[in-house]
Amino acid sequence: MVRLRDVSKRFADVVAVDHVNLDILDGEFLTLLGPSGSGKTTVLRLIAGFALPTAGRVEINGRDATNDPPYLRDVNTVFQDYALFPHMTVAANVEYGLRVTGVPRPARAAAAADALARVELSGYDARKPNQLSGGQRQRVALARALVNEPRVLLLDEPLGALDLKLRRQMQLELKSIQRQLGITFVFVTHDQEEALTMSDRIVVFNAGGIVQAGTPQAIYERPATPFVADFIGTMNTFASAEGRQVCIRPERIELLDAEPATGASVRARAGVTVESAYLGASRTVIVRTDDGTTLTVSIPARSDGSDITPGQRVWCAWEPDSEFIIN
Amino acid sequence: MTGSELTSRGRSDVAAPSGVLARTAQALWRRPRLRLGLLLSAPMVWLVVLYLGSLATMFAASVWSVDSFTGRVQRGFTTANFRTLLTDPVYRTIAARTLGVALTVTAVSALIAVPVALFMAKAVRSPRVRAALLVAVSMPLWANYLVKGYAWRIMLDQRGVLDWLLRPLGLHTPGLGLLATTVALLYLWLPYMILPVYAAFERLPNSLLDAASDLGARPWRTFRTVVLPLVMPGVVAGSIFTFSLTLGDYIMVKIVGRATQLYANVVYDNIGVAGDLPFASAAAVFPVVVVVGYLLAVRRTGALESL
């Protein structure tokens, strides 16, 4: 378990991390999510020991590790640029951690072969990193970290450099490796979709502090602040009759041709479609309601061509349960 | 004439070119190799005629001889010059001494350059301080060679600055000679070692140092297994400079070396005083052979490919 207690990190006159408290549980897939400059990568570096906190305390597995150098910490890191040693073969890269801790040659060769098999790179041991594709380097970096059997694996935007298809595939693979090994993953990303797909728990960062922590569902369905609502997915925000900020997700809104039957317990607003974009599985429609609000609506795409076009008169309707009020 | 007429006329000029200029432009455009050849012809003339040509002349002259009676160069093949150079104990001693100085200067400058360059590239965070240090390192290159030579002489001579500083401690300057020559040459060529080593450290991503540490390597281990192998090409590049510049120097040894002779002095003295150009040429083959041998040895380590 990793505990951060009141941890702050200042660089010259910039506060990168501001009084962060966080408990990372054993075996969980925790994602640190936030825009660039929000402090999430600095938190990861503070856990790894690449940076030392200006104030506060870092505990790893029950031990105060605040001032431990990285080589004394029972965590391993997968770097954003992979940081593979260019002068070593794939096998030597993967064996490196075992070599420096004095594991005998046959044992570490076997462990490295296992780790490479886990990431489906058997047979690549004699290659140099520059003979591999981006995705393969990413897997070597993962194997190099996992071979040390750390209790906590830190991943710093490891999928950022991969193309979309490969990224999706690696998301699922990382998740399944984490489930099989049962070790703690601390995953840094600015991609909210990636965070929702992979995490047991998401911690949202902004301006050096934690804004909200919770399961993907909790973060998505009940964002605690306007920042979270806006950062995770798309959110419609408008003022209610009482002057409060009402939020509703685009996919919770239905489009109807006519006003819903009176008495039905639904919220409804009439308007005109402004924009209609086909996204394959779904269609995004922008509606300007008669009271001047702009709503983004996501509906399943129809295959028969009877789609919504701009300029149509529609009714936007949703269950009262789907909307919520922030602050 | 209207605007549209102008445009159409302009276009037809390009479509159906006339005149020598347009045809030349087309011919060149279609032959990228010819363009490259013309572009490089001037530097190629310089390189081939002046550099390779004189080198070839030197090799040719090294197997000629001088008529001891008339003092004129005789263009007949003889291995006498090389036999003298290889068998005469005087020249063998000078050769060994020169190699020793060159290797010492190279090794010591590498030992100084690695920590200095490491500090400049990785420890200094402010770009302004880094730039200032780079200027400081290369500053000795701005000063005149002879000024630097005589400055060292004043410092190291019997009643020089160093002697004056050491006397209260009961010590004395080693004086002028082989040690003074080595120190002065080390000073002269050190920037040529620091700059490529610094460039190598600049190219070394910090994440590699983090990664080694993350995998359990203590600082010395990281230095040995990650840093040193990756900056070695920079050290090799620097060593080519320090080694060959030392091999070719004959002035500094005259200023601070007292009677010490290095190999280049053999060349110089035979051109000037003795007037034996063939023997000077044969002596000049020695550093060429040594440097070519050194480059071949270095190439075997694979360090040249990453330069």
Side-chain angles (χ1 to χ4, degrees), chain A residues 160-189:
Chain A
L162 305 181
D163 64 62
L164 189 62
K165 204 175 163 87
L166 201 52
R167 195 154 77 213
R168 294 253 161 84
Q169 185 193 336
M170 280 307 293
Q171 287 170 4
L172 297 177
E173 280 186 36
L174 278 176
K175 183 73 193 148
S176 96
I177 286 173
Q178 188 263 341
R179 211 178 296 124
Q180 283 169 32
L181 298 177
I183 61 178
T184 311
F185 273 38
V186 183
F187 187 93
V188 164
T189 184

PDB file of all heavy atoms in Angstrom, chain A residues 160-189:
ATOM      1  N   GLY A 160       0.737   6.699 -24.516  1.00  0.00           N
ATOM      2  CA  GLY A 160       0.567   7.974 -25.212  1.00  0.00           C
ATOM      3  C   GLY A 160       1.114   7.992 -26.624  1.00  0.00           C
ATOM      4  O   GLY A 160       0.575   8.665 -27.488  1.00  0.00           O
ATOM      5  N   ALA A 161       2.208   7.231 -26.887  1.00  0.00           N
ATOM      6  CA  ALA A 161       2.862   7.314 -28.195  1.00  0.00           C
ATOM      7  C   ALA A 161       2.315   6.283 -29.188  1.00  0.00           C
ATOM      8  O   ALA A 161       2.782   6.218 -30.309  1.00  0.00           O
ATOM      9  CB  ALA A 161       4.370   7.131 -28.030  1.00  0.00           C
ATOM     10  N   LEU A 162       1.354   5.478 -28.755  1.00  0.00           N
ATOM     11  CA  LEU A 162       0.852   4.424 -29.653  1.00  0.00           C
ATOM     12  C   LEU A 162      -0.354   4.919 -30.443  1.00  0.00           C
ATOM     13  O   LEU A 162      -1.071   5.817 -30.013  1.00  0.00           O
ATOM     14  CB  LEU A 162       0.447   3.198 -28.834  1.00  0.00           C
ATOM     15  CG  LEU A 162       1.528   2.626 -27.914  1.00  0.00           C
ATOM     16  CD1 LEU A 162       1.009   1.402 -27.187  1.00  0.00           C
ATOM     17  CD2 LEU A 162       2.782   2.287 -28.690  1.00  0.00           C
ATOM     18  N   ASP A 163      -0.574   4.306 -31.613  1.00  0.00           N
ATOM     19  CA  ASP A 163      -1.766   4.704 -32.369  1.00  0.00           C
ATOM     20  C   ASP A 163      -3.019   4.120 -31.713  1.00  0.00           C
ATOM     21  O   ASP A 163      -2.949   3.231 -30.871  1.00  0.00           O
ATOM     22  CB  ASP A 163      -1.657   4.310 -33.848  1.00  0.00           C
ATOM     23  CG  ASP A 163      -1.596   2.814 -34.042  1.00  0.00           C
ATOM     24  OD1 ASP A 163      -2.579   2.134 -33.666  1.00  0.00           O
ATOM     25  OD2 ASP A 163      -0.580   2.330 -34.560  1.00  0.00           O
ATOM     26  N   LEU A 164      -4.145   4.660 -32.108  1.00  0.00           N
ATOM     27  CA  LEU A 164      -5.391   4.408 -31.381  1.00  0.00           C
ATOM     28  C   LEU A 164      -5.714   2.929 -31.233  1.00  0.00           C
ATOM     29  O   LEU A 164      -6.050   2.449 -30.152  1.00  0.00           O
ATOM     30  CB  LEU A 164      -6.538   5.138 -32.101  1.00  0.00           C
ATOM     31  CG  LEU A 164      -7.864   5.148 -31.343  1.00  0.00           C
ATOM     32  CD1 LEU A 164      -7.691   5.877 -30.015  1.00  0.00           C
ATOM     33  CD2 LEU A 164      -8.943   5.814 -32.171  1.00  0.00           C
ATOM     34  N   LYS A 165      -5.571   2.160 -32.319  1.00  0.00           N
ATOM     35  CA  LYS A 165      -5.946   0.759 -32.298  1.00  0.00           C
ATOM     36  C   LYS A 165      -5.053  -0.031 -31.336  1.00  0.00           C
ATOM     37  O   LYS A 165      -5.527  -0.813 -30.515  1.00  0.00           O
ATOM     38  CB  LYS A 165      -5.815   0.191 -33.714  1.00  0.00           C
ATOM     39  CG  LYS A 165      -6.677  -1.015 -33.972  1.00  0.00           C
ATOM     40  CD  LYS A 165      -6.572  -1.419 -35.429  1.00  0.00           C
ATOM     41  CE  LYS A 165      -7.079  -2.827 -35.616  1.00  0.00           C
ATOM     42  NZ  LYS A 165      -8.494  -2.931 -35.829  1.00  0.00           N
ATOM     43  N   LEU A 166      -3.748   0.244 -31.427  1.00  0.00           N
ATOM     44  CA  LEU A 166      -2.780  -0.435 -30.567  1.00  0.00           C
ATOM     45  C   LEU A 166      -3.023  -0.046 -29.107  1.00  0.00           C
ATOM     46  O   LEU A 166      -2.899  -0.856 -28.189  1.00  0.00           O
ATOM     47  CB  LEU A 166      -1.371  -0.024 -30.996  1.00  0.00           C
ATOM     48  CG  LEU A 166      -0.214  -0.929 -30.605  1.00  0.00           C
ATOM     49  CD1 LEU A 166      -0.497  -2.351 -31.039  1.00  0.00           C
ATOM     50  CD2 LEU A 166       1.064  -0.424 -31.257  1.00  0.00           C
ATOM     51  N   ARG A 167      -3.382   1.231 -28.910  1.00  0.00           N
ATOM     52  CA  ARG A 167      -3.620   1.724 -27.555  1.00  0.00           C
ATOM     53  C   ARG A 167      -4.791   0.977 -26.919  1.00  0.00           C
ATOM     54  O   ARG A 167      -4.724   0.540 -25.787  1.00  0.00           O
ATOM     55  CB  ARG A 167      -3.885   3.223 -27.621  1.00  0.00           C
ATOM     56  CG  ARG A 167      -3.797   3.881 -26.275  1.00  0.00           C
ATOM     57  CD  ARG A 167      -3.434   5.323 -26.419  1.00  0.00           C
ATOM     58  NE  ARG A 167      -4.562   6.119 -26.831  1.00  0.00           N
ATOM     59  CZ  ARG A 167      -4.481   7.187 -27.600  1.00  0.00           C
ATOM     60  NH1 ARG A 167      -3.327   7.570 -28.060  1.00  0.00           N
ATOM     61  NH2 ARG A 167      -5.552   7.868 -27.922  1.00  0.00           N
ATOM     62  N   ARG A 168      -5.879   0.818 -27.693  1.00  0.00           N
ATOM     63  CA  ARG A 168      -7.049   0.102 -27.183  1.00  0.00           C
ATOM     64  C   ARG A 168      -6.676  -1.315 -26.783  1.00  0.00           C
ATOM     65  O   ARG A 168      -7.058  -1.810 -25.718  1.00  0.00           O
ATOM     66  CB  ARG A 168      -8.140   0.054 -28.266  1.00  0.00           C
ATOM     67  CG  ARG A 168      -8.709   1.393 -28.617  1.00  0.00           C
ATOM     68  CD  ARG A 168     -10.118   1.551 -28.055  1.00  0.00           C
ATOM     69  NE  ARG A 168     -10.513   2.942 -27.988  1.00  0.00           N
ATOM     70  CZ  ARG A 168     -11.034   3.624 -29.005  1.00  0.00           C
ATOM     71  NH1 ARG A 168     -11.208   3.038 -30.166  1.00  0.00           N
ATOM     72  NH2 ARG A 168     -11.377   4.881 -28.865  1.00  0.00           N
ATOM     73  N   GLN A 169      -5.876  -1.963 -27.668  1.00  0.00           N
ATOM     74  CA  GLN A 169      -5.479  -3.344 -27.415  1.00  0.00           C
ATOM     75  C   GLN A 169      -4.622  -3.425 -26.149  1.00  0.00           C
ATOM     76  O   GLN A 169      -4.831  -4.292 -25.296  1.00  0.00           O
ATOM     77  CB  GLN A 169      -4.687  -3.825 -28.638  1.00  0.00           C
ATOM     78  CG  GLN A 169      -4.304  -5.279 -28.592  1.00  0.00           C
ATOM     79  CD  GLN A 169      -3.254  -5.580 -29.663  1.00  0.00           C
ATOM     80  OE1 GLN A 169      -3.159  -4.864 -30.663  1.00  0.00           O
ATOM     81  NE2 GLN A 169      -2.467  -6.603 -29.446  1.00  0.00           N
ATOM     82  N   MET A 170      -3.663  -2.481 -26.011  1.00  0.00           N
ATOM     83  CA  MET A 170      -2.781  -2.499 -24.841  1.00  0.00           C
ATOM     84  C   MET A 170      -3.544  -2.187 -23.559  1.00  0.00           C
ATOM     85  O   MET A 170      -3.209  -2.689 -22.488  1.00  0.00           O
ATOM     86  CB  MET A 170      -1.641  -1.489 -25.017  1.00  0.00           C
ATOM     87  CG  MET A 170      -0.497  -1.965 -25.877  1.00  0.00           C
ATOM     88  SD  MET A 170       0.206  -3.562 -25.385  1.00  0.00           S
ATOM     89  CE  MET A 170       0.945  -3.143 -23.803  1.00  0.00           C
ATOM     90  N   GLN A 171      -4.586  -1.353 -23.664  1.00  0.00           N
ATOM     91  CA  GLN A 171      -5.399  -1.055 -22.477  1.00  0.00           C
ATOM     92  C   GLN A 171      -5.965  -2.344 -21.898  1.00  0.00           C
ATOM     93  O   GLN A 171      -5.884  -2.595 -20.699  1.00  0.00           O
ATOM     94  CB  GLN A 171      -6.546  -0.100 -22.836  1.00  0.00           C
ATOM     95  CG  GLN A 171      -6.098   1.319 -23.096  1.00  0.00           C
ATOM     96  CD  GLN A 171      -7.199   2.179 -23.683  1.00  0.00           C
ATOM     97  OE1 GLN A 171      -8.335   1.726 -23.833  1.00  0.00           O
ATOM     98  NE2 GLN A 171      -6.872   3.412 -24.009  1.00  0.00           N
ATOM     99  N   LEU A 172      -6.527  -3.165 -22.794  1.00  0.00           N
ATOM    100  CA  LEU A 172      -7.135  -4.410 -22.325  1.00  0.00           C
ATOM    101  C   LEU A 172      -6.064  -5.363 -21.800  1.00  0.00           C
ATOM    102  O   LEU A 172      -6.251  -6.032 -20.788  1.00  0.00           O
ATOM    103  CB  LEU A 172      -7.924  -5.061 -23.468  1.00  0.00           C
ATOM    104  CG  LEU A 172      -9.095  -4.215 -23.970  1.00  0.00           C
ATOM    105  CD1 LEU A 172      -9.781  -4.885 -25.152  1.00  0.00           C
ATOM    106  CD2 LEU A 172     -10.101  -3.965 -22.846  1.00  0.00           C
ATOM    107  N   GLU A 173      -4.902  -5.412 -22.491  1.00  0.00           N
ATOM    108  CA  GLU A 173      -3.840  -6.311 -22.051  1.00  0.00           C
ATOM    109  C   GLU A 173      -3.291  -5.908 -20.691  1.00  0.00           C
ATOM    110  O   GLU A 173      -3.064  -6.759 -19.827  1.00  0.00           O
ATOM    111  CB  GLU A 173      -2.714  -6.334 -23.088  1.00  0.00           C
ATOM    112  CG  GLU A 173      -3.043  -7.224 -24.265  1.00  0.00           C
ATOM    113  CD  GLU A 173      -1.870  -7.353 -25.222  1.00  0.00           C
ATOM    114  OE1 GLU A 173      -0.726  -7.388 -24.751  1.00  0.00           O
ATOM    115  OE2 GLU A 173      -2.121  -7.411 -26.429  1.00  0.00           O
ATOM    116  N   LEU A 174      -3.065  -4.611 -20.514  1.00  0.00           N
ATOM    117  CA  LEU A 174      -2.552  -4.131 -19.222  1.00  0.00           C
ATOM    118  C   LEU A 174      -3.522  -4.507 -18.106  1.00  0.00           C
ATOM    119  O   LEU A 174      -3.126  -4.974 -17.039  1.00  0.00           O
ATOM    120  CB  LEU A 174      -2.372  -2.613 -19.249  1.00  0.00           C
ATOM    121  CG  LEU A 174      -1.098  -2.082 -19.878  1.00  0.00           C
ATOM    122  CD1 LEU A 174      -1.129  -0.562 -19.921  1.00  0.00           C
ATOM    123  CD2 LEU A 174       0.111  -2.549 -19.084  1.00  0.00           C
ATOM    124  N   LYS A 175      -4.805  -4.303 -18.395  1.00  0.00           N
ATOM    125  CA  LYS A 175      -5.829  -4.606 -17.401  1.00  0.00           C
ATOM    126  C   LYS A 175      -5.795  -6.100 -17.049  1.00  0.00           C
ATOM    127  O   LYS A 175      -5.888  -6.475 -15.875  1.00  0.00           O
ATOM    128  CB  LYS A 175      -7.193  -4.197 -17.972  1.00  0.00           C
ATOM    129  CG  LYS A 175      -8.362  -4.369 -17.044  1.00  0.00           C
ATOM    130  CD  LYS A 175      -8.346  -3.322 -15.954  1.00  0.00           C
ATOM    131  CE  LYS A 175      -9.344  -3.701 -14.852  1.00  0.00           C
ATOM    132  NZ  LYS A 175      -8.898  -3.264 -13.537  1.00  0.00           N
ATOM    133  N   SER A 176      -5.633  -6.941 -18.067  1.00  0.00           N
ATOM    134  CA  SER A 176      -5.676  -8.378 -17.779  1.00  0.00           C
ATOM    135  C   SER A 176      -4.392  -8.827 -17.077  1.00  0.00           C
ATOM    136  O   SER A 176      -4.433  -9.687 -16.189  1.00  0.00           O
ATOM    137  CB  SER A 176      -5.943  -9.165 -19.064  1.00  0.00           C
ATOM    138  OG  SER A 176      -4.759  -9.616 -19.641  1.00  0.00           O
ATOM    139  N   ILE A 177      -3.237  -8.219 -17.430  1.00  0.00           N
ATOM    140  CA  ILE A 177      -1.992  -8.536 -16.713  1.00  0.00           C
ATOM    141  C   ILE A 177      -2.118  -8.137 -15.249  1.00  0.00           C
ATOM    142  O   ILE A 177      -1.741  -8.887 -14.337  1.00  0.00           O
ATOM    143  CB  ILE A 177      -0.792  -7.815 -17.370  1.00  0.00           C
ATOM    144  CG1 ILE A 177      -0.441  -8.494 -18.690  1.00  0.00           C
ATOM    145  CG2 ILE A 177       0.420  -7.787 -16.449  1.00  0.00           C
ATOM    146  CD1 ILE A 177       0.611  -7.773 -19.501  1.00  0.00           C
ATOM    147  N   GLN A 178      -2.699  -6.969 -15.025  1.00  0.00           N
ATOM    148  CA  GLN A 178      -2.853  -6.501 -13.644  1.00  0.00           C
ATOM    149  C   GLN A 178      -3.750  -7.449 -12.853  1.00  0.00           C
ATOM    150  O   GLN A 178      -3.470  -7.778 -11.704  1.00  0.00           O
ATOM    151  CB  GLN A 178      -3.426  -5.078 -13.652  1.00  0.00           C
ATOM    152  CG  GLN A 178      -3.453  -4.405 -12.305  1.00  0.00           C
ATOM    153  CD  GLN A 178      -4.799  -4.515 -11.620  1.00  0.00           C
ATOM    154  OE1 GLN A 178      -5.819  -4.782 -12.260  1.00  0.00           O
ATOM    155  NE2 GLN A 178      -4.799  -4.319 -10.310  1.00  0.00           N
ATOM    156  N   ARG A 179      -4.814  -7.941 -13.488  1.00  0.00           N
ATOM    157  CA  ARG A 179      -5.737  -8.846 -12.788  1.00  0.00           C
ATOM    158  C   ARG A 179      -5.053 -10.179 -12.486  1.00  0.00           C
ATOM    159  O   ARG A 179      -5.163 -10.710 -11.395  1.00  0.00           O
ATOM    160  CB  ARG A 179      -6.995  -9.046 -13.636  1.00  0.00           C
ATOM    161  CG  ARG A 179      -8.231  -9.273 -12.780  1.00  0.00           C
ATOM    162  CD  ARG A 179      -9.500  -9.422 -13.588  1.00  0.00           C
ATOM    163  NE  ARG A 179      -9.851  -8.236 -14.337  1.00  0.00           N
ATOM    164  CZ  ARG A 179     -10.041  -8.213 -15.660  1.00  0.00           C
ATOM    165  NH1 ARG A 179      -9.866  -9.295 -16.389  1.00  0.00           N
ATOM    166  NH2 ARG A 179     -10.388  -7.104 -16.263  1.00  0.00           N
ATOM    167  N   GLN A 180      -4.287 -10.686 -13.481  1.00  0.00           N
ATOM    168  CA  GLN A 180      -3.592 -11.962 -13.276  1.00  0.00           C
ATOM    169  C   GLN A 180      -2.566 -11.887 -12.159  1.00  0.00           C
ATOM    170  O   GLN A 180      -2.470 -12.776 -11.319  1.00  0.00           O
ATOM    171  CB  GLN A 180      -2.860 -12.375 -14.551  1.00  0.00           C
ATOM    172  CG  GLN A 180      -3.739 -12.950 -15.635  1.00  0.00           C
ATOM    173  CD  GLN A 180      -2.960 -13.074 -16.940  1.00  0.00           C
ATOM    174  OE1 GLN A 180      -1.757 -13.310 -16.921  1.00  0.00           O
ATOM    175  NE2 GLN A 180      -3.640 -12.888 -18.052  1.00  0.00           N
ATOM    176  N   LEU A 181      -1.754 -10.807 -12.168  1.00  0.00           N
ATOM    177  CA  LEU A 181      -0.659 -10.719 -11.197  1.00  0.00           C
ATOM    178  C   LEU A 181      -1.127 -10.205  -9.848  1.00  0.00           C
ATOM    179  O   LEU A 181      -0.468 -10.412  -8.833  1.00  0.00           O
ATOM    180  CB  LEU A 181       0.450  -9.806 -11.731  1.00  0.00           C
ATOM    181  CG  LEU A 181       1.123 -10.260 -13.024  1.00  0.00           C
ATOM    182  CD1 LEU A 181       2.154  -9.239 -13.474  1.00  0.00           C
ATOM    183  CD2 LEU A 181       1.786 -11.625 -12.817  1.00  0.00           C
ATOM    184  N   GLY A 182      -2.239  -9.496  -9.844  1.00  0.00           N
ATOM    185  CA  GLY A 182      -2.776  -8.981  -8.586  1.00  0.00           C
ATOM    186  C   GLY A 182      -1.929  -7.900  -7.942  1.00  0.00           C
ATOM    187  O   GLY A 182      -2.036  -7.657  -6.741  1.00  0.00           O
ATOM    188  N   ILE A 183      -1.031  -7.236  -8.727  1.00  0.00           N
ATOM    189  CA  ILE A 183      -0.241  -6.168  -8.125  1.00  0.00           C
ATOM    190  C   ILE A 183      -0.915  -4.825  -8.363  1.00  0.00           C
ATOM    191  O   ILE A 183      -1.806  -4.697  -9.203  1.00  0.00           O
ATOM    192  CB  ILE A 183       1.209  -6.135  -8.670  1.00  0.00           C
ATOM    193  CG1 ILE A 183       1.219  -5.885 -10.177  1.00  0.00           C
ATOM    194  CG2 ILE A 183       1.933  -7.421  -8.327  1.00  0.00           C
ATOM    195  CD1 ILE A 183       2.617  -5.808 -10.745  1.00  0.00           C
ATOM    196  N   THR A 184      -0.490  -3.838  -7.585  1.00  0.00           N
ATOM    197  CA  THR A 184      -1.079  -2.508  -7.673  1.00  0.00           C
ATOM    198  C   THR A 184      -0.535  -1.786  -8.908  1.00  0.00           C
ATOM    199  O   THR A 184       0.669  -1.776  -9.129  1.00  0.00           O
ATOM    200  CB  THR A 184      -0.707  -1.700  -6.414  1.00  0.00           C
ATOM    201  OG1 THR A 184      -0.972  -2.504  -5.276  1.00  0.00           O
ATOM    202  CG2 THR A 184      -1.478  -0.409  -6.345  1.00  0.00           C
ATOM    203  N   PHE A 185      -1.432  -1.232  -9.701  1.00  0.00           N
ATOM    204  CA  PHE A 185      -1.017  -0.402 -10.835  1.00  0.00           C
ATOM    205  C   PHE A 185      -1.401   1.041 -10.527  1.00  0.00           C
ATOM    206  O   PHE A 185      -2.548   1.306 -10.189  1.00  0.00           O
ATOM    207  CB  PHE A 185      -1.739  -0.821 -12.126  1.00  0.00           C
ATOM    208  CG  PHE A 185      -1.050  -1.926 -12.899  1.00  0.00           C
ATOM    209  CD1 PHE A 185      -0.425  -2.969 -12.253  1.00  0.00           C
ATOM    210  CD2 PHE A 185      -1.060  -1.905 -14.294  1.00  0.00           C
ATOM    211  CE1 PHE A 185       0.191  -3.987 -12.973  1.00  0.00           C
ATOM    212  CE2 PHE A 185      -0.443  -2.922 -15.023  1.00  0.00           C
ATOM    213  CZ  PHE A 185       0.189  -3.961 -14.372  1.00  0.00           C
ATOM    214  N   VAL A 186      -0.434   1.930 -10.650  1.00  0.00           N
ATOM    215  CA  VAL A 186      -0.743   3.361 -10.580  1.00  0.00           C
ATOM    216  C   VAL A 186      -0.465   3.922 -11.963  1.00  0.00           C
ATOM    217  O   VAL A 186       0.674   3.922 -12.431  1.00  0.00           O
ATOM    218  CB  VAL A 186       0.104   4.087  -9.519  1.00  0.00           C
ATOM    219  CG1 VAL A 186      -0.313   5.552  -9.433  1.00  0.00           C
ATOM    220  CG2 VAL A 186      -0.036   3.403  -8.172  1.00  0.00           C
ATOM    221  N   PHE A 187      -1.525   4.359 -12.614  1.00  0.00           N
ATOM    222  CA  PHE A 187      -1.481   4.655 -14.046  1.00  0.00           C
ATOM    223  C   PHE A 187      -1.772   6.132 -14.253  1.00  0.00           C
ATOM    224  O   PHE A 187      -2.790   6.632 -13.792  1.00  0.00           O
ATOM    225  CB  PHE A 187      -2.550   3.782 -14.711  1.00  0.00           C
ATOM    226  CG  PHE A 187      -2.555   3.813 -16.217  1.00  0.00           C
ATOM    227  CD1 PHE A 187      -1.840   2.873 -16.931  1.00  0.00           C
ATOM    228  CD2 PHE A 187      -3.301   4.753 -16.902  1.00  0.00           C
ATOM    229  CE1 PHE A 187      -1.853   2.880 -18.321  1.00  0.00           C
ATOM    230  CE2 PHE A 187      -3.313   4.761 -18.288  1.00  0.00           C
ATOM    231  CZ  PHE A 187      -2.587   3.819 -19.000  1.00  0.00           C
ATOM    232  N   VAL A 188      -0.839   6.818 -14.920  1.00  0.00           N
ATOM    233  CA  VAL A 188      -1.043   8.245 -15.175  1.00  0.00           C
ATOM    234  C   VAL A 188      -1.508   8.436 -16.612  1.00  0.00           C
ATOM    235  O   VAL A 188      -0.913   7.878 -17.538  1.00  0.00           O
ATOM    236  CB  VAL A 188       0.269   9.031 -14.949  1.00  0.00           C
ATOM    237  CG1 VAL A 188       0.184  10.417 -15.566  1.00  0.00           C
ATOM    238  CG2 VAL A 188       0.570   9.143 -13.476  1.00  0.00           C
ATOM    239  N   THR A 189      -2.570   9.202 -16.797  1.00  0.00           N
ATOM    240  CA  THR A 189      -3.023   9.500 -18.158  1.00  0.00           C
ATOM    241  C   THR A 189      -3.785  10.818 -18.166  1.00  0.00           C
ATOM    242  O   THR A 189      -4.250  11.286 -17.128  1.00  0.00           O
ATOM    243  CB  THR A 189      -3.912   8.374 -18.717  1.00  0.00           C
ATOM    244  OG1 THR A 189      -4.250   8.674 -20.071  1.00  0.00           O
ATOM    245  CG2 THR A 189      -5.180   8.217 -17.916  1.00  0.00           C
TER     246      THR A 189
END
